[in-house]
Amino acid sequence: MNKKPSQYLFGTQYYRPPTPPAEEWEDDFKRMKALDFNVIKIWIQWRWVEPQKGVYQFDEFDRIFDLCEKYEIGLVPNTILECPPEWVYTMYPDARLKDIDRNIQYEYAYSAYQIGGFRPCWDHEEVARHSLECLRQIINRYAGRECLVAWDVWNEPLQVFCSCENTHAQFIRWLQNRFGSVDACNAFIGRNYAAFGEVPIPYARDNLPLMYLMTLFMHDRLAEQISWRSEIVRDIDQNVLPMTHSIGPGSSIYRLEADDWKSAKSVDFYGTSVHQWGNHFENPKHRQIWSEFPLCLDATLSASPYYWVSEVASGESHYGFSTATFSRETIRFWTWSSLAHGAKALIYWQFKPERLGVEAPGWGLVALDGSELDRTAEAKDAASFSAEWSDFLIDAEPAQDPVGILFDVNSYFLADSAAAGWQESPYPDAVRGAYQALWYHNMAPQILTPDSDWSGIELLYLPFPVMMTVPLAQKIRAYVQQGGTVISEGGLGSYDHRTWSSPTIPGEGLEE
């Protein structure tokens, strides 16, 4: 029977092949045990374990499992399918992504995937099939091991835009299911196609109605693909739960390529990756950064009432020669904020600094030689506290006020498209600004979506609410009629459910 871990988990990411080297493992496990860590996370990468088709290499992971059981440390394997081996691309060259301009995107060594192979199109059925077979091999090998506490089935899932033929076929199926008839689809996007097969993947991001549908399709497809992996875990290992965790900087509030609320429904619980910011105590934008971190925690709590902080920075971030400073006070703020906001596990990224790729020599709770740093002591204090108070922490729920901030992916899309890129989109800042205004006045707001349960919410704040769907308008109307209070920023419903400009503002009937 599926069950969540019964103790508070506190530990670190440890092994992302090929580092740290195997000759350091035994001493490192002794150090992690002495720090009161009771869990580690490792990466099991497709490219690393199946370099030849059907030939699997598990010896080093076997040893990691053995060391976890020897030192009584729990283990979370993060199964990494996003870096297929070379034979996959040789066998299926049409599995490479195509960008919006229809250019092939060749695989490469992305910062977190420093061994190469990033990233295929998961709409290619054969590549998806091979990847899931690799996942079955991994789970079959380690199911039942005493140290297992969860299967993390996707590292920071997001749906990369792809215009290839495989994705186009899936997009057409999605449109057919959504609209039923091509006439209904035409009425939505303002076109006059004769058949669904004529509807293209957008050629430009400013084709708002079609790009909006493409974005929703990408979110739905990502959740579906996560569920494929979760079902394999459930079929093989009924005693250990499948999970996944969001991409940094911690929530889809800041990344339109995923919808955490949809993704979380495909697993038994969710996590967050919050390691993208530098020193809170030296950054000139410290007021903004201080509120970003708890916002991401509360957004993850909204998507998954039981959640983990699956990655939080343990040291200076690096990208080539670019680095961010770090202090013991920062790791204290991140660690204790995670506990205070209801996370049921905290896993640092990572135990030792990276040695390979553009992220080297970033992160690290300890120095490369294993010696302790000032932040090592900070982590040990928190680990010892979580062990002593485990029973309390595992059942505790964070206090929240009856005030909600609405996160609506539809308005995010409009703001993002109008800003021509998510880095400049005003929507995340509007959400964060609303949160910060309350947070700095000692309030604990709840992050809500149009699909959330709003019962018990006395006041609902709508940041940058430029797009309005009919169901959301009806829900807002009912909420107000039942006594709720809405505070809205300007432009409420400026665009309708199709992304068309609304003849009235507020739109979709809210002008009443």
Side-chain angles (χ1 to χ4, degrees):
M1 180 180 179
N2 286 348
K3 59 181 184 300
K4 296 182 178 69
S6 58
Q7 62 177 328
Y8 195 92
L9 297 173
F10 198 106
T12 181
Q13 158 72 26
Y14 180 66
Y15 183 52
R16 178 170 65 176
T19 63
E23 60 268 20
E24 299 176 12
W25 294 356
E26 186 88 33
D27 286 342
D28 287 343
F29 268 82
K30 292 176 182 176
R31 292 187 181 100
M32 290 186 288
K33 187 67 175 178
L35 291 172
D36 281 338
F37 289 176
N38 61 8
V39 68
I40 66 165
K41 184 159 70 77
I42 63 171
W43 278 31
I44 305 182
Q45 298 140 300
W46 185 8
R47 167 168 286 232
W48 198 258
V49 299
E50 194 187 5
Q52 299 179 59
K53 184 175 181 293
V55 179
Y56 293 91
Q57 300 177 355
F58 287 121
D59 289 354
E60 60 189 43
F61 298 107
D62 292 347
R63 186 180 171 214
I64 292 280
F65 273 81
D66 291 342
L67 285 167
C68 282
E69 289 170 358
K70 175 180 178 180
Y71 289 97
E72 298 181 319
I73 294 175
L75 178 60
V76 181
N78 206 163
T79 54
I80 311 296
L81 306 180
E82 285 62 62
C83 48
E86 287 299 318
W87 62 263
V88 170
Y89 293 108
T90 301
M91 187 176 295
Y92 306 107
D94 59 333
R96 294 183 173 97
L97 295 165
K98 288 185 179 180
D99 64 19
I100 199 167
D101 297 317
R102 275 52 177 176
N103 297 318
I104 295 174
Q105 301 297 294
Y106 288 92
E107 61 277 9
Y108 63 105
Y110 184 57
S111 59
Y113 302 88
Q114 73 276 52
I115 62 172
F118 187 82
R119 171 198 187 271
C121 174
W122 293 123
D123 291 319
H124 192 291
E125 292 183 359
E126 286 303 301
V127 174
R129 180 177 65 83
H130 285 298
S131 73
L132 297 178
E133 176 55 31
C134 178
L135 183 61
R136 286 189 189 92
Q137 293 287 337
I138 295 169
I139 297 170
N140 271 314
R141 186 170 189 90
Y142 298 115
R145 291 295 297 252
E146 183 181 352
C147 58
L148 269 176
V149 294
W151 288 101
D152 196 335
V153 298
W154 198 322
N155 180 71
E156 301 184 349
L158 57 82
Q159 193 69 296
V160 179
F161 185 98
C162 184
S163 62
C164 77
E165 294 77 7
N166 302 297
T167 298
H168 186 222
Q170 293 296 335
F171 183 47
I172 293 301
R173 293 189 186 99
W174 184 88
L175 290 174
Q176 289 172 325
N177 290 332
R178 182 180 180 91
F179 292 106
S181 71
V182 70
D183 289 340
C185 182
N186 282 330
F188 191 99
I189 61 178
R191 300 292 189 271
N192 196 23
Y193 296 112
F196 273 112
E198 297 179 359
V199 182
I201 285 177
Y203 282 87
R205 295 187 182 274
D206 58 4
N207 182 347
L208 292 186
L210 195 57
M211 191 64 203
Y212 170 60
L213 292 175
M214 183 67 182
T215 300
L216 296 182
F217 157 74
M218 290 166 62
H219 291 171
D220 287 349
R221 188 66 171 158
L222 178 60
E224 180 183 12
Q225 291 163 350
I226 294 171
S227 71
W228 297 346
R229 306 184 188 192
S230 300
E231 287 307 311
I232 289 174
V233 172
R234 296 184 184 109
D235 287 345
I236 298 172
D237 191 357
Q238 292 80 28
N239 292 315
V240 179
L241 297 179
M243 65 165 295
T244 187
H245 68 276
S246 66
I247 189 168
S251 168
S252 57
I253 284 177
Y254 293 99
R255 298 294 294 262
L256 193 56
E257 299 96 330
D259 183 331
D260 289 341
W261 286 263
K262 285 184 178 179
S263 297
K265 291 179 181 178
S266 299
V267 288
D268 283 78
F269 67 94
Y270 208 59
T272 183
S273 174
V274 279
H275 62 275
Q276 301 296 93
W277 301 292
N279 190 343
H280 282 65
F281 298 87
E282 295 180 6
N283 194 296
K285 295 184 177 179
H286 63 278
R287 281 185 65 88
Q288 173 178 329
I289 293 175
W290 276 68
S291 60
E292 281 179 335
F293 185 80
L295 169 59
C296 287
L297 297 176
D298 285 345
T300 309
L301 174 67
S302 171
S304 178
Y306 176 97
Y307 79 98
W308 290 7
V309 174
S310 299
E311 295 181 27
V312 65
S314 60
E316 294 85 354
S317 61
H318 274 261
Y319 194 91
F321 289 156
S322 175
T323 185
T325 58
F326 200 84
S327 70
R328 178 173 181 170
E329 289 79 10
T330 289
I331 201 169
R332 180 182 301 157
F333 172 68
W334 288 343
T335 298
W336 292 98
S337 292
S338 299
L339 270 65
H341 285 259
K344 301 307 178 186
L346 187 145
I347 300 174
Y348 293 109
W349 185 281
Q350 56 186 350
F351 187 63
K352 280 186 167 177
E354 185 53 67
R355 278 172 255 194
L356 175 64
V358 295
E359 291 189 348
W363 327 115
L365 272 177
V366 298
L368 272 175
D369 62 2
S371 58
E372 294 191 1
L373 307 167
D374 61 349
R375 57 181 174 265
T376 316
E378 191 67 43
K380 178 175 171 49
D381 288 347
S384 300
F385 173 88
S386 69
E388 180 181 356
W389 290 91
S390 178
D391 291 343
F392 168 77
L393 291 172
I394 205 68
D395 293 326
E397 296 181 3
Q400 292 186 300
D401 288 308
V403 176
I405 298 172
L406 184 68
F407 172 72
D408 181 16
V409 72
N410 302 299
S411 286
Y412 190 179
F413 168 82
L414 247 299
D416 180 84
S417 298
W422 72 269
Q423 290 178 313
E424 301 173 0
S425 173
Y427 191 78
D429 267 351
V431 176
R432 183 200 53 76
Y435 185 92
Q436 178 174 297
L438 297 168
W439 192 71
Y440 268 100
H441 286 83
N442 298 315
M443 298 187 72
Q446 302 178 44
I447 306 302
L448 304 174
T449 71
D451 296 325
S452 297
D453 179 7
W454 296 359
S455 62
I457 300 297
E458 298 174 8
L459 184 146
L460 180 65
Y461 188 93
L462 310 182
F464 210 84
V466 290
M467 185 172 169
M468 185 58 58
T469 64
V470 174
L472 178 56
Q474 292 173 342
K475 189 167 183 175
I476 291 172
R477 178 196 297 269
Y479 172 76
V480 173
Q481 289 173 340
Q482 293 164 11
T485 298
V486 170
I487 299 177
S488 176
E489 295 180 3
L492 176 62
S494 298
Y495 297 83
D496 69 12
H497 67 285
R498 302 171 298 174
T499 76
W500 295 29
S501 181
S502 175
T504 60
I505 301 175
E508 297 290 11
L510 291 180
E511 69 275 11
E512 298 176 7

